[in-house]
Amino acid sequence: ILLARAVAFFSLDRLEEAVEAATIVITQIDDSNIDALVILAKGHYLAGDIEDALIECQKALTSTLDESKLQGNGVVGGVAAVNQLYKKICNVARTLILTEHAIQDGNYEQACTLSSQTIYAAEPLAQSSPLYRKLYLAKSEANFYASNY
């Protein structure tokens, strides 16, 4: 029932409740429940907590080694979907780090390009998500320093 609640909350974009329910599944019922781990990964990702998203996704990938655990309720979609999610999160993390380094180094034109690439890598995103706001804030900062405004 908790996993179904987590899925429902996630479907309604109620990320905090989805993460909370999935966390209970992981901590109290089954620490290798792939669907719950994927909900945690996606929830952290959309909240802008990239490191936590990577950790949960790595746990899900480890758990997918036993494909019999995949419940197929539409959240995971199989090993390929978990791999795709992991690659997406890694790509966003990499370009975010590169953007931050470019800003710190004063290379604002490169930071503008990288921030656009980060947003593209993260798509599709709801404009209300914290990750979306974080990415656009980085892009605005890069454009401001590059005097593109």
Side-chain angles (χ1 to χ4, degrees), residues 106-119:
N107 192 344
Y108 303 117
E109 291 297 327
Q110 182 184 21
C112 291
T113 301
L114 288 166
S115 62
S116 294
Q117 290 174 355
T118 306
I119 292 167

Side-chain angles (χ1 to χ4, degrees), residues 77-145:
V79 176
V82 178
N83 278 320
Q84 183 179 8
L85 175 63
Y86 182 72
K87 287 178 186 176
K88 179 182 213 171
I89 296 170
C90 283
N91 194 22
V92 169
R94 182 185 60 78
T95 55
L96 264 176
I97 290 168
L98 291 173
T99 301
E100 290 171 10
H101 285 303
I103 289 172
Q104 291 170 359
D105 293 342
N107 192 344
Y108 303 117
E109 291 297 327
Q110 182 184 21
C112 291
T113 301
L114 288 166
S115 62
S116 294
Q117 290 174 355
T118 306
I119 292 167
Y120 178 76
E123 292 292 340
L125 279 176
Q127 292 184 354
S128 61
S129 74
L131 179 59
Y132 180 89
R133 290 191 299 265
K134 179 179 183 175
L135 297 177
Y136 269 89
L137 182 61
K139 182 177 180 178
S140 296
E141 180 182 10
N143 278 313
F144 175 77
Y145 287 118

